[in-house]
């Protein structure tokens, strides 16, 4: 992919981020993380906007956002702290992949959140039969690392 395209999109997204509905934030961050295209200003702007909109995020939005930060190696303590609180409140809405990706992101970024891990453990036990092998492995890795 053309780095200039990613840089252009990042610049436009930063300018318009305040207009984005919640789901646009993770959908914007994911390709940058997946393609390993560094864009600290985009991730900083997205963290600020995400914290303000977390109460409108779906479980999938939370997990993809956190996964993107961890994959990109971008740290936002404020976002991870706020997202933990939101995830705990809505853990019943998290599916196996959401739980796995969220815990993996916290462990990958060395961000401790015992309350989140406790809530996720209870939910994972309830939904264990829906976990795929990789989700089980990543979840266990996150618990072992955290």
């Amino acid at each position: 992919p053309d780095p200039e395209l990613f840089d252009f999109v990042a610049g436009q997204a930063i300018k318009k981020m305040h207009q984005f509905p919640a789901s646009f934030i993770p959908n914007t961050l994911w390709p940058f993380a997946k393609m390993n295209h560094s864009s600290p200003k985009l991730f900083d702007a997205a963290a600020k906007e995400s914290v303000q909109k977390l109460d409108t995020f779906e479980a999938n939005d939370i997990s993809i956002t956190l996964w993107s930060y961890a994959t990109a190696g971008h740290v936002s303590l404020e976002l991870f702290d706020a997202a933990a609180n939101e995830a705990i409140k809505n853990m019943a809405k998290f599916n196996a992949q959401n739980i796995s990706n969220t815990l993996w992101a916290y462990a990958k970024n060395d961000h401790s959140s015992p309350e989140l891990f406790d809530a996720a453990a209870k939910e994972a036990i309830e939904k264990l039969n829906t976990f795929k092998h990789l989700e089980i492995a990543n979840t266990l890795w996150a618990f072992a690392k955290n």
Side-chain angles (χ1 to χ4, degrees), residues 40-60:
K41 289 181 182 176
L42 172 64
F43 277 77
D44 287 344
K48 181 180 176 184
E49 198 64 32
S50 294
V51 168
Q52 294 175 5
K53 295 179 178 177
L54 269 173
D55 62 336
T56 66
F57 275 41
E58 300 290 332
N60 199 51

Side-chain angles (χ1 to χ4, degrees), residues 7-144:
D7 292 341
F8 176 77
V9 169
Q12 294 302 306
I14 290 167
K15 291 177 191 173
K16 298 177 182 182
M17 184 95 37
H18 65 281
Q19 299 171 354
F20 284 11
S23 64
F24 280 33
I25 296 172
N27 290 336
T28 300
L29 297 176
W30 185 87
F32 283 83
K34 182 73 173 162
M35 299 306 297
N36 198 27
H37 187 90
S38 179
S39 187
K41 289 181 182 176
L42 172 64
F43 277 77
D44 287 344
K48 181 180 176 184
E49 198 64 32
S50 294
V51 168
Q52 294 175 5
K53 295 179 178 177
L54 269 173
D55 62 336
T56 66
F57 275 41
E58 300 290 332
N60 199 51
D61 299 331
I62 293 171
S63 71
I64 291 172
T65 299
L66 297 172
W67 179 92
S68 296
Y69 277 81
T71 300
H74 196 90
V75 176
S76 172
L77 301 178
E78 182 182 10
L79 172 61
F80 272 65
D81 287 343
N85 292 331
E86 196 63 33
I88 291 166
K89 287 191 286 189
N90 294 291
M91 190 54 65
K93 298 176 184 175
F94 278 57
N95 64 27
Q97 185 177 20
N98 300 149
I99 293 168
S100 175
N101 286 350
T102 298
L103 295 181
W104 178 87
Y106 279 82
K108 179 93 167 61
N109 266 5
D110 292 320
H111 193 100
S112 180
S113 182
E115 298 86 3
L116 172 63
F117 275 70
D118 288 346
K122 290 174 185 164
E123 198 63 32
I125 290 168
E126 295 285 323
K127 297 177 178 173
L128 193 57
N129 65 334
T130 67
F131 276 65
K132 297 176 183 166
H133 293 102
L134 183 60
E135 294 162 348
I136 292 170
N138 285 344
T139 300
L140 291 175
W141 176 85
F143 274 98

